[in-house]
Amino acid sequence: MSTSSLPSELQAQLERALRYAPKAAPTLERIVARHAAASSDEQRARAERDLRTALGILGNPQRDSRLKLALGIGLPVLMFGALGASLVLEHRTEELIARGVPTTARVDRMEEGNCWITAKRERCLELTVKVYPQGGAAYSAKLTQAIEGHWLPRVQPGAWLVVAVSKEDPSKVAVDQGAFSVAPPAPVPEP
């Protein structure tokens, strides 16, 4: 196949494509032969357009390898980042439950939450609760947490439960699922 009549940039693309996709050689050879046999500039231009189209369909091996490299690095980094963020949030929730003040609360609203990752049998929920601290005024707080499926009846609106409230920031609240193994707390009478 004589490529001397092709522009140099098209010759280089053709050589790369033949190394990258040798099975395309018969099709590319027919287009190059048509270019070499062209008797007018219009026929040569049409053959060059056809060759560029064919080369574009085959792809650019350098671009494709960069894309594969980016996907090969980017996807695992994204996955590990999401997993890491989920583990950090889970650790913070566990720490809040361990160090927080157990407090009675009533679920006022339950909606689908936005958690990064949940286990197969968990549901991510956004709960609006009314917290009744001992010796303090009741207040509303929101929390987003993954709740195990078998405990979902315990977090329905109107349900009473035990939450852990941060000593430093009372707006930080977490559901203590460990407290679900005992009866719910008694309702707190409204003043």
Side-chain angles (χ1 to χ4, degrees), residues 3-16 51 55:
T3 60
S4 59
S5 63
L6 293 173
S8 59
E9 47 88 21
L10 205 49
Q11 287 178 9
Q13 287 179 13
L14 179 62
E15 290 171 12
R16 281 194 304 271
L51 187 57
L55 292 172

Side-chain angles (χ1 to χ4, degrees), residues 136-149:
Y139 63 93
S140 286
K142 277 192 175 188
L143 64 104
T144 301
Q145 192 171 330
I147 305 291
E148 293 179 30

Side-chain angles (χ1 to χ4, degrees), residues 112-160:
E112 286 294 321
N114 191 9
C115 301
W116 282 74
I117 298 173
T118 58
K120 188 175 184 178
R121 293 188 174 109
E122 291 180 332
R123 292 275 307 272
C124 181
L125 300 175
E126 181 180 285
L127 300 176
T128 303
V129 296
K130 188 162 189 181
V131 180
Y132 294 88
Q134 195 169 8
Y139 63 93
S140 286
K142 277 192 175 188
L143 64 104
T144 301
Q145 192 171 330
I147 305 291
E148 293 179 30
H150 60 279
W151 294 127
L152 290 176
R154 293 288 299 267
V155 294
Q156 297 299 313
W160 290 87

Side-chain angles (χ1 to χ4, degrees), residues 26-48:
T27 302
L28 297 175
E29 285 175 2
R30 281 194 297 276
I31 297 171
V32 170
R34 215 176 59 207
H35 184 271
S39 57
S40 69
D41 289 339
E42 183 181 319
Q43 289 176 340
R44 270 188 291 282
R46 188 175 312 127
E48 287 177 16

Side-chain angles (χ1 to χ4, degrees), residues 49-72:
R49 267 195 317 273
D50 292 347
L51 187 57
R52 283 189 174 86
T53 301
L55 292 172
I57 291 169
L58 289 175
N60 180 337
Q62 291 174 333
R63 182 194 68 223
D64 293 350
S65 65
R66 287 192 303 262
L67 179 62
K68 287 177 186 175
L69 178 64
L71 289 175

